[in-house]
Amino acid sequence: MRTRVKTKLVIVLAVLVVALVSVTPSLTGSLPGWWTKVLPSKAVQLGLDLKGGMELLLEVQTEEAVNNALSRMASDLKTSFKEKNIRLNRAETVGFNRLLVEVRRDKYRDEAAAAIREMFPGTVVTEETETRLAVSYPETEVARLQENAVVQAVETIRSRVDEFGVSEPTILQQGTKRILIQLPGVDDPQRAIQLVKRTAVLKFMLVNETASADSVPQGDVVRYGTNYDPATRTTQRTPYVLRDRVLLTGDTIKDARVRYDSQFGQAYVSLTFDSTGARIFEQVTGDHVKERLAIVLDDNVYSAPVIQERIPGGEAQITGSFTPEEASDLAIVLRAGSLPAPVKILQKWTVSPSLGSDSIRKGLMSILFGFSLVIVFMVFYFRISGFIANTALVLNLVIIMAALALFQATLTLPGIAGIVLTIGMAVDANVLIFERIKEELRSGKTVRAAVDGGYSKAFLTIVDANVTTLIAALVLFQFGTGQVKGFAVTLSIGVLTSMFTAIFVSRTIFESYLENRTLEELSI
Amino acid sequence: MDFIKPNININFVGKRRTALIISLVALLIGVGSLVLKGGPRYGIDFAGGTLVQVKFTDAPDVGRIRDVLTDKGMGSAVIQSLGEEKVSIRVKSEEGQIDTASDDVFAVLAEQFGPDSVSLELVEMVGPQVGADMRRKGMLSMLYAMVGILIYITLRFQFRFAMGAIAALIHDIIITIGVFSLFDKEFTLPVIAALLTIIGYSLNDTIVVYDRIRENIRRTPKDMLASVINTSINQTLSRTILTSGTTLLVVICLFVLGGEVIHDFSFALLVGVVVGTYSSIYIASPMLLLGGRGERAARTSARQG
């Protein structure tokens, strides 16, 4: 055998071996230990549509982050103005990036403006009326706050999801304020959404027992507590009037754990504060014995126990009629911290695992069926040459799967469709070559010359034809999301591998088949 | 074995007027259907809204589902039965409640039919803002693909060839969109993917013929261009039919066996493969004759390949 043909055969066999080795992890569930040490052991990654799971696209309400910062500024101002004896009417955010500060009398205004400029250098303070000031952040600061909010939201969500126990989650920032979250295999999407979406701002506030929900003193707020009664299957909403001061926030939490009540086995969440938090909590409980302290999370009152005595040690509890899952999720969000701004769900997509496995079954069915039909047809039409094309086709399929596994590309349902389509189109190159060979044979050339001529004449046509498909596939990849991207990936890989197998592999087989024979006629 | 006789000589170019009429009629029907129905029927991905696919343990009564949903103020929901046990319910996108629409639908069904007899299979929720984004992106991606292809063909062949190919592409896409509208099928993201694939496939076919035309022009520069085109189409006819045949074979498998999730997607491919094959023979190649019918082949001096 000529060495050139031999070298080519060796290359083909080497590719086959590499491909088979790479595909193996996807075919078997368990690999021997020595395998995982030296050989690629990653299976083809299945997309959410095949595995089941959830995809969320969130938008961080970054305007809120700016306003939250202004609100915090307002509460600092209130305290400081009290010390400086500046009488304040109100200090609250109105619209976006605008904090209105209204003093009782015009004589306080300039003092207030000076105090704000001193406390918060860099903010823009404008005088609106004799008694009113507006405070806002300059544009660069607004941009920084918004950017930070998104980065921080990604981090917070990531740590929540990590603790939730999802294998291989994807959490990515998209654009300036969107976050894409993929949670494969999640079987309770509702719970996962709650976990991701919850702002989780924890506040400790005193209950104003003297006021009722109908007549709320200025500055005080009404918040509701919900209580689910399993006996009657009803939920009750209890209003609480809360005093206009946040005594302590969730920022000072060091740890949060689920515990169980020793008497009834009821789940509750136990909080541990850091040293600052512990000091404040001890002081607050000492100052307000016999009053009710409301624990407010995202504007819902979880519990409002009466403080019996000063509580040292920096521990608190949140009780409620929690299921163990609810308590565990609550502990997770408290540990991971609050989102810097609320998030809005822009897009949600969940697929149940049962639909996913159904899709895999049908996808594989259609691959198998389409593949068999093509194989049978090729042998029927091109005889021995068809057999050679089929060998290339099988190798093509193996290489596509191997490439998917090696690059860790995600196989989606449209991706399977891409493979099916590739099978149909992959024979195109061989059909082109074979029809050329037939023409050459008809013009009276010898078998070997006809084969050479067929391959070389069809070569550029094949390249031109495939490059255009590749252009379409690359555009798809650039613009597509999730599923569609999966299709673009398999289509691109398929175009490349089918060119390789149809041109190089089938020719090598042809040449080695013709090597030691002098054929009068070709079975084509 | 040969389906097509090697010395076949069908006068494709001569029938180009008939083909043009057929194409125009098809285009008119498609565009007419689009106009009558007020544009393409966008799926959730593009229009925004919520789609819930539910599986029942027993064959559900669609009428009862409708009554139940209407009672709860979701009367505008579109309910569609998918085979024996499955039902898809589409709720319009309305700002504010979009977050919870899928939960609401499922809660109502679970309450009415019993929580154990319904299970949630698929939820798709797309906000209106994202939908608009997707529409823009989808249109742009088709545009970019065409520009990319135009440039490639101009470089490899000649601008005249590129124009013919693009004309065939636009022809294929409009007809496919028209068929979609005619059959009242929805436009979704995967369907856009299918359209882009059709672009690729249709070109694949066109380029094979073009390649042969270029080769024949060089071989017989004195022949009339029309006859060179005809010869080329005939010479590649066997290949065209074989390839379209095998592709069609597998796309039909996909259509029949692939399941309802990719049904529309494979339907688009099915239409596209047929139309794409037709257009590369009857549209793309005769387009080369525009600008001078009695022209000698040599004047269409294709670049060296």
Side-chain angles (χ1 to χ4, degrees), chain A residues 57 59 178 190 197 344-352 354-355 358-359 362-363 365-366 369-371 373-374 377-378 380-383 413-414 416-418 420-421 423-425 427-429 431-432 435-436 438-439 442 457 460-469 471-472 475-476 478-481 483-484 487 491 524, chain B residues 1-4 6 53 86 95 98-99 102-103 120-127 129-130 133-134 137 140-142 144-145 148-149 152-153 156-157 189-190 192-194 196-197 199-201 203-204 207-208 211-212 214-215 219 235 238-239 242-243 246-247 249-251 253-254 257-262 265 269 273 305:
Chain A
L57 183 65
E59 187 170 80
R178 291 182 179 179
Q190 206 38 48
K197 229 189 100 173
K344 186 171 132 191
I345 299 182
L346 293 183
Q347 198 184 344
K348 173 173 84 181
W349 190 61
T350 67
V351 178
S352 73
S354 69
L355 184 65
D358 199 41
S359 297
K362 284 179 175 157
M365 257 303 242
S366 52
F369 223 80
F371 194 68
L373 285 177
V374 171
F377 174 79
M378 288 299 277
F380 169 74
Y381 195 85
F382 290 113
R383 309 290 155 170
L413 190 57
I416 291 181
V420 175
L421 189 68
I423 294 168
M425 286 170 69
V427 295
D428 178 54
V431 169
L432 265 168
E435 291 294 310
R436 272 290 189 174
K438 279 186 182 178
E439 280 179 48
R442 276 196 292 271
K457 281 190 175 166
L460 271 180
T461 312
I462 295 170
V463 172
D464 278 338
N466 281 295
V467 167
T468 47
T469 307
I471 292 176
V475 171
L476 260 184
Q478 198 56 40
F479 286 91
T481 53
Q483 289 189 77
V484 174
F487 174 69
L491 192 63
I524 194 164
Chain B
M1 182 175 180
D2 288 309
F3 286 158
I4 307 286
Q53 189 176 310
K86 294 183 184 180
E95 198 68 63
I98 185 150
D99 239 21
S102 59
D103 305 326
L120 209 51
E121 282 219 306
L122 182 84
V123 173
E124 234 184 302
M125 184 289 269
V126 179
Q129 189 189 346
V130 175
D133 261 22
M134 296 256 209
K137 265 183 152 185
L140 272 181
S141 61
M142 295 231 265
Y144 285 131
I149 286 160
Y152 183 80
I153 299 179
R156 294 283 301 142
F157 293 83
L189 215 52
I192 295 288
L196 276 165
T197 318
I199 292 182
Y201 181 83
L203 264 162
N204 202 59
I207 282 182
V208 170
D211 208 60
R212 193 55 82 99
R214 178 170 61 179
E215 187 185 324
R219 203 162 42 196
Q235 279 173 349
S238 173
R239 171 267 157 200
L242 287 180
T243 298
T246 52
T247 308
L249 217 57
V250 286
V251 174
C253 284
L254 204 61
L257 302 170
E260 82 266 0
V261 183
I262 47 171
F265 173 79
L269 285 179
V273 169

Side-chain angles (χ1 to χ4, degrees), chain A residues 257-261 266-270 317-320 322 327:
Chain A
R257 297 281 157 202
V258 180
R259 297 266 157 75
Y260 293 92
D261 182 295
Q266 179 71 47
Y268 66 89
V269 177
S270 152
Q317 287 156 12
I318 305 178
T319 55
F322 299 134

Side-chain angles (χ1 to χ4, degrees), chain A residues 85-156:
Chain A
N85 234 336
I86 300 171
R87 308 282 290 278
L88 202 59
N89 236 348
R90 62 183 182 136
E92 59 193 23
T93 56
V94 178
F96 170 60
N97 189 23
R98 187 157 172 266
L99 173 68
L100 268 191
V101 178
E102 204 172 79
V103 289
R104 286 276 161 87
R105 296 212 200 109
D106 48 10
K107 65 169 183 176
Y108 297 122
R109 195 193 68 182
D110 294 341
E111 278 177 61
I116 297 169
R117 287 199 179 97
E118 191 198 12
M119 280 175 75
F120 301 99
T123 53
V124 181
V125 183
T126 45
E127 293 159 1
E128 296 206 326
T129 63
E130 292 298 304
T131 57
R132 200 194 281 166
L133 294 166
V135 187
S136 62
Y137 287 112
E139 251 171 62
T140 48
E141 182 64 10
V142 167
R144 198 189 61 84
L145 282 168
Q146 294 190 321
E147 233 167 82
N148 270 2
V150 179
V151 173
Q152 218 178 314
V154 170
E155 283 311 309
T156 308

